[in-house]
Amino acid sequence: MNSRIYIALLLIGLCACTGLDVDKISENFEYTPDFSLPIGKLTVQYDDVNDLPIDLPDPIDSEPVNWSETDTAYFNSSESVAERKYILSMMIQFDITNRYPAYMDAELYLIDAMGNDIYLTSSPIILEPAEINADGEVVKERHTQPYPYQMPLSDEMIDALLTSTQIVIKASIKELLFTDEVVNQFPNYQVDMAVGVQAEVDFSINNN
């Protein structure tokens, strides 16, 4: 599709979302919206400790355990955010909730055409353990600080994002000790992690 036609269609769609009257668009119209695009999400929850993808200690409460979960999102951001020349800035936004009584960290990386990992997070994003009561019930879930967590991307990372079609979301649970109370409440523990892209774009369209 001709890029000018595509940009025009995308702009009209954005106008519809923001309530802008497209009948009033002049021949030379400039509009700078904030464009949001969901990438993917990851949920970690198990009905029983025996379902975990790790070997459990024996006895079960003899040492803390660690494990990681990943999910891969397939998408083409270049078709959704338009051409690179229109993008002024871009950031990744994380909405993460930790309902496990253990530290967790989150990472995000791209897989390029050669199969190489390109990390968007320069270091893991760490969340504190959820607070539990004497019965193991969650009384205070944890979020990133600040929440939501926003991470601006460099020009190099923007280029990498626009040319990749796979993004891997990884969450790791750290040092969870299986006390009797934790085992009994285990089905109620959960991690929810949603990732999206926000882009500042600048379109200049000539309708002639």
Side-chain angles (χ1 to χ4, degrees):
M1 179 182 293
N2 181 276
S3 62
R4 183 178 295 277
I5 295 174
Y6 174 76
I7 297 300
L9 290 174
L10 179 57
L11 179 58
I12 291 171
L14 288 170
C15 293
C17 293
T18 58
L20 187 65
D21 189 350
V22 296
D23 293 332
K24 296 180 180 179
I25 297 178
S26 63
E27 290 184 354
N28 293 288
F29 179 77
E30 294 187 0
Y31 181 50
T32 308
D34 287 326
F35 182 91
S36 296
L37 174 69
I39 292 178
K41 60 183 180 179
L42 174 65
T43 297
V44 179
Q45 184 177 31
Y46 289 90
D47 293 332
D48 190 275
V49 295
N50 294 295
D51 296 333
L52 287 170
I54 57 172
D55 293 328
L56 299 178
D58 185 20
I60 196 170
D61 61 349
S62 59
E63 61 179 308
V65 300
N66 308 277
W67 80 94
S68 297
E69 307 280 348
T70 61
D71 193 20
T72 302
Y74 297 87
F75 78 110
N76 191 334
S77 61
S78 63
E79 292 182 356
S80 303
V81 190
E83 296 180 22
R84 175 67 177 93
K85 63 182 179 181
Y86 295 101
I87 299 173
L88 302 180
S89 64
M90 185 177 285
M91 68 172 58
I92 297 288
Q93 177 171 306
F94 295 88
D95 300 312
I96 308 176
T97 301
N98 182 19
R99 299 187 185 91
Y100 276 92
Y103 281 96
M104 69 154 289
D105 61 46
E107 297 178 275
L108 189 71
Y109 60 92
L110 306 169
I111 300 178
D112 66 15
M114 302 299 294
N116 300 313
D117 296 344
I118 303 174
Y119 277 81
L120 291 173
T121 47
S122 57
S123 59
I125 300 169
I126 300 174
L127 281 80
E128 293 186 354
E131 291 185 14
I132 58 176
N133 60 21
D135 296 322
E137 299 171 331
V138 174
V139 294
K140 185 177 182 180
E141 59 191 28
R142 296 294 188 177
H143 303 275
T144 54
Q145 296 297 326
Y147 178 80
Y149 186 92
Q150 295 179 324
M151 183 182 67
L153 298 181
S154 66
D155 287 340
E156 181 181 3
M157 289 294 97
I158 294 174
D159 292 339
L161 179 64
L162 294 178
T163 55
S164 298
T165 58
Q166 297 180 55
I167 288 187
V168 177
I169 304 169
K170 180 179 179 180
S172 300
I173 310 300
K174 305 288 188 179
E175 301 293 309
L176 178 59
L177 184 63
F178 287 133
T179 63
D180 289 342
E181 294 77 16
V182 167
V183 171
N184 291 335
Q185 292 293 329
F186 198 69
N188 299 317
Y189 300 149
Q190 184 176 355
V191 166
D192 288 308
M193 180 173 167
V195 181
V197 170
Q198 291 186 346
E200 181 186 7
V201 295
D202 187 1
F203 299 115
S204 296
I205 296 179
N206 190 323
N207 291 328
N208 289 334

